[in-house]
Amino acid sequence: MSTLLEVQGLVKRFSAGGPFWRRRHVHAVSGVDLSIDRSRTLGLVGESGSGKTTVGRCILGLHRPDAGRVLFDGRDVAGLRGAGLAEFRRRVQPVFQDPFGSLDPRWTVGRSVQESLEAYRIGSVQDRRDRVRDLFATVGLDPALADRHPRNLSGGQRQRVGIAAALASEPELIVADEPVSALDVSVQAQIINLLQRLGRELGLAVLFISHDLGVVEHVSSRIAVMYLGRVVETGPTVQILRSPQHPYTRALVDAIPHPDPSRRLRYLPLTGEIPSPVDPPSGCAFHPRCPLAEPSCRVQVPDLGPVGDDHLAACPVVARAATRPTTT
């Protein structure tokens, strides 16, 4: 399976204001490495403020990284211009969190979907109209709804329209940023099943961004967990959920809703709140909340290290435990 997208050492900061001689910055992303294979889904998980949306926007070319590279099919996204940039935008499409905000309220939803076909000059006028009807059917909508405005559709229907618009240019990668968090639980399940089916049938690669590990579990073949701008654990979905290694990932696994109210937590609970990205802690950013923290964690920034088969975690404590020989 070949790699379609590779993120190398991505860094992104935003100005937090103040006079130029002591201007502060929001450290949104601090050295993120990711890769997505063709026809595979990577779930990017973390609390609000962890930097996952910024990673997605850098991949889409909406933010220019301060350091590092985003490589799509081997080409640096930041260096694309003209026809190369247009081709990249055709092949990489977003699905946004707010389906209402991503659609022009003055247009019919059919025109919103058709806009991408017109921008990339795909087909004749009649071909575009037929393509819109086909796309509506593909995402489970009655083609007759194409003549309605966004205000006349439900949240789930609007999100399906957003997915149809993303599919119009026949992309290879979808960046889905919290695509179900604004929807009812029953509708969430429908959209998740739709994305799974489209991934299989169309061979799409998907970056699925979410704060909910329970949602990502159902759509992703791999998971990357972010905390305060860094990836702290990554690996196959089944392995992450069955045997989380980083203390933060363990807390996320314990937070997945479970139907048994008597179920006990598997791991030590966290304390405190996520620190400010304007003034992140020294060393490991997670050490103020970590039940396993050592004195060295306050000084050294941990690298991702092996803790299992194709499984990495940025925690020296669990890395030592994983490599410690067993005694018989």
Side-chain angles (χ1 to χ4, degrees), residues 79-93:
L80 296 176
R81 298 290 187 275
L85 180 59
E87 178 66 10
F88 166 76
R89 288 175 173 166
R90 185 192 68 79
R91 298 171 66 190
V92 181
Q93 287 286 312

Side-chain angles (χ1 to χ4, degrees), residues 12-314:
K12 182 62 184 176
R13 295 181 295 269
F14 299 98
S15 174
F20 71 89
W21 62 86
R22 56 186 179 91
R23 184 161 293 166
R24 309 177 77 190
H25 291 86
V26 175
H27 300 267
V29 180
S30 303
V32 164
D33 296 314
L34 293 173
S35 65
I36 305 177
D37 291 338
R38 298 178 189 274
S39 306
R40 291 289 183 268
T41 299
L42 173 69
L44 189 59
V45 187
E47 291 173 279
S48 296
S50 63
K52 47 190 196 304
T53 291
T54 302
V55 170
R57 294 179 71 85
C58 287
I59 290 172
L60 288 166
L62 302 178
H63 291 324
R64 181 175 291 273
D66 294 311
R69 299 193 301 170
V70 176
L71 302 176
F72 179 77
D73 207 7
R75 301 182 67 185
D76 191 343
V77 172
L80 296 176
R81 298 290 187 275
L85 180 59
E87 178 66 10
F88 166 76
R89 288 175 173 166
R90 185 192 68 79
R91 298 171 66 190
V92 181
Q93 287 286 312
V95 173
F96 296 109
Q97 176 179 359
D98 180 7
F100 192 75
S102 62
L103 299 171
D104 191 323
R106 300 167 299 176
W107 290 0
T108 65
V109 292
R111 184 181 175 189
S112 291
V113 174
Q114 189 172 321
E115 181 187 21
S116 179
L117 300 173
E118 294 172 350
Y120 296 111
R121 300 176 182 177
I122 299 174
S124 65
V125 173
Q126 187 58 48
D127 289 339
R128 294 167 189 166
R129 291 172 181 165
D130 293 341
R131 172 71 171 155
V132 169
R133 296 180 65 86
D134 291 342
L135 286 167
F136 270 63
T138 298
V139 299
L141 289 174
D142 184 345
L145 295 177
D147 295 327
R148 296 190 183 183
H149 287 80
R151 64 180 177 272
N152 302 128
L153 302 181
S154 68
Q157 288 173 324
R158 288 195 292 262
Q159 192 60 286
R160 289 175 187 267
V161 171
I163 295 171
L167 296 177
S169 63
E170 299 183 347
E172 297 168 50
L173 173 66
I174 295 289
V175 178
D177 186 6
E178 299 275 11
V180 298
S181 63
L183 306 176
D184 293 338
V185 174
S186 60
V187 181
Q188 285 185 14
Q190 296 172 15
I191 298 300
I192 289 170
N193 290 337
L194 172 63
L195 289 172
Q196 286 181 305
R197 177 174 62 80
L198 293 175
R200 290 193 306 268
E201 294 178 356
L202 304 179
L204 290 170
V206 179
L207 176 65
F208 192 98
I209 299 170
S210 178
H211 65 277
D212 189 340
L213 192 56
V215 169
V216 170
E217 158 184 18
H218 297 291
V219 296
S220 306
S221 52
R222 292 184 62 83
I223 289 175
V225 180
M226 284 191 70
Y227 183 81
L228 211 63
R230 295 183 182 274
V231 173
V232 297
E233 186 165 0
T234 182
T237 298
V238 173
Q239 200 163 331
I240 292 281
L241 293 170
R242 288 183 179 175
S243 182
Q245 296 298 307
H246 195 280
Y248 178 61
T249 310
R250 292 174 178 177
L252 292 182
V253 170
D254 267 345
I256 297 174
H258 196 276
D260 182 4
S262 64
R263 174 177 173 265
R264 305 182 67 176
L265 297 180
R266 295 165 55 189
Y267 306 104
L268 295 173
L270 300 183
T271 58
E273 299 291 333
I274 186 170
S276 169
V278 175
D279 187 22
S282 61
C284 175
F286 188 63
H287 83 258
R289 304 174 67 190
C290 182
L292 305 179
E294 301 176 336
S296 62
C297 298
R298 297 178 174 85
V299 180
Q300 300 174 355
V301 178
D303 295 324
L304 285 168
V307 292
D309 185 23
D310 197 23
H311 189 172
L312 305 174

